[in-house]
């Protein structure tokens, strides 16, 4: 963890990444967490009730509040500036504090797919993780049946590292897991070139 205070809000041209509040539960429930299509390739099932969405948010707020004290998990709401509504979530979870490596994940409501929002959010989160949190390696994986997620990772500067065949179970089916990663040193080299 760096010695500087951690930013609580990240901003791009079209998006604000910010901590969740309890008043976000209804938009979260309506926009993505109750939609089986959005969660088709995720490890968990869609939330069936608004109360379940509130329970998730309560837990996520706790993770975020502990960030400056060394918490290894931070979950941002993705807010679309044009409609001032949350449309998804993006997070990182440090899984190896000796290496300073973290896994990144994201979800976006299907209404907003195909507009570059996930890539835009991922780019600013990568910058935050390397510049403010002090991580050295970020990685992500996706179900091979969801190639759109791989395109998001690639466009954000992450490199394909390999595919683990039949290495995970999604909705009761064995699936291949495709891995991408980016190193801090590579990020800073690219940043220095104005990319």
């Amino acid at each position: 963890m760096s010695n500087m205070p951690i930013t609580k809000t990240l901003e791009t041209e079209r998006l604000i990444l910010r901590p969740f509040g309890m008043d976000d539960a209804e938009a979260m429930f309506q926009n993505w967490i109750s939609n089986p299509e959005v969660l088709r390739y995720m490890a968990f099932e869609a939330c069936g009730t608004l109360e379940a969405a509130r329970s998730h948010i309560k837990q996520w707020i706790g993770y975020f509040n502990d960030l400056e004290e060394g918490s290894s998990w931070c979950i941002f709401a993705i807010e679309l500036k044009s409609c001032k509504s949350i449309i998804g979530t993006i997070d990182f979870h440090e899984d190896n504090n000796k290496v300073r490596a973290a896994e990144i994940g994201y979800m976006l409501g299907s209404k907003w797919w195909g507009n570059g929002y996930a890539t835009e959010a991922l780019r600013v989160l990568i910058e935050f993780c390397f510049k403010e949190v002090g991580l050295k390696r970020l990685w992500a994986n996706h179900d091979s049946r969801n190639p759109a997620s791989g395109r998001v990772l690639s466009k954000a500067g992450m490199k394909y590292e390999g595919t683990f065949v039949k290495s995970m179970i999604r909705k009761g089916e064995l699936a291949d897991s495709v891995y991408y990663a980016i190193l801090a040193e590579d990020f800073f080299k690219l940043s220095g070139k104005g990319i």
Side-chain angles (χ1 to χ4, degrees):
M1 189 73 62
S2 69
N3 293 325
M4 56 197 284
I6 297 296
T7 300
K8 299 296 186 184
T9 301
L10 309 178
E11 194 167 338
T12 71
E13 182 181 344
R14 301 180 295 170
L15 305 172
I16 295 171
L17 276 59
R18 61 167 177 78
F20 275 90
M22 291 309 297
D23 56 348
D24 290 322
E26 189 169 340
M28 175 177 139
F29 184 74
Q30 294 296 328
N31 291 344
W32 78 89
I33 201 74
S34 64
N35 185 341
E37 183 183 9
V38 172
L39 302 175
R40 181 177 176 192
Y41 301 112
M42 301 291 182
F44 52 91
E45 298 296 329
C47 281
T49 65
L50 185 56
E51 193 50 48
R54 287 191 183 103
S55 179
H56 281 298
I57 288 176
K58 187 181 286 188
Q59 188 176 26
W60 295 346
I61 289 171
Y63 295 152
F64 207 112
N65 288 342
D66 293 339
L67 184 60
E68 288 190 39
E69 284 73 46
S71 169
S72 61
W73 203 335
C74 182
I75 300 175
F76 290 91
I78 302 173
E79 181 180 309
L80 186 58
K81 289 179 180 178
S82 64
C83 66
K84 299 194 183 309
S85 180
I86 58 168
I87 62 170
T89 182
I90 190 164
D91 69 277
F92 71 89
H93 174 237
E94 189 171 5
D95 65 334
N96 187 328
N97 57 17
K98 291 182 181 177
V99 175
R100 297 304 323 267
E103 178 181 12
I104 285 181
Y106 51 87
M107 286 184 281
L108 202 65
S110 57
K111 179 178 174 182
W112 296 278
W113 290 353
N115 294 293
Y117 296 132
T119 301
E120 194 171 322
L122 184 54
R123 284 178 176 152
V124 75
L125 184 68
I126 289 170
E127 181 177 9
F128 169 77
C129 285
F130 288 145
K131 287 185 174 179
E132 291 200 38
V133 183
L135 296 173
K136 302 299 180 191
R137 170 182 162 82
L138 297 171
W139 65 274
N141 71 312
H142 70 87
D143 188 312
S144 64
R145 298 168 296 178
N146 183 18
S149 192
R151 289 191 293 274
V152 167
L153 299 171
S154 180
K155 286 177 185 175
M158 301 181 82
K159 295 179 183 174
Y160 170 75
E161 291 199 323
T163 300
F164 289 13
V165 178
K166 297 192 185 306
S167 61
M168 62 181 177
I169 296 177
R170 291 292 182 263
K171 309 300 185 272
E173 297 178 0
L174 279 172
D176 299 346
S177 185
V178 184
Y179 284 82
Y180 285 77
I182 185 170
L183 301 177
E185 60 198 72
D186 293 333
F187 168 81
F188 287 116
K189 280 180 197 170
L190 291 173
S191 296
K193 294 178 183 176
I195 296 174

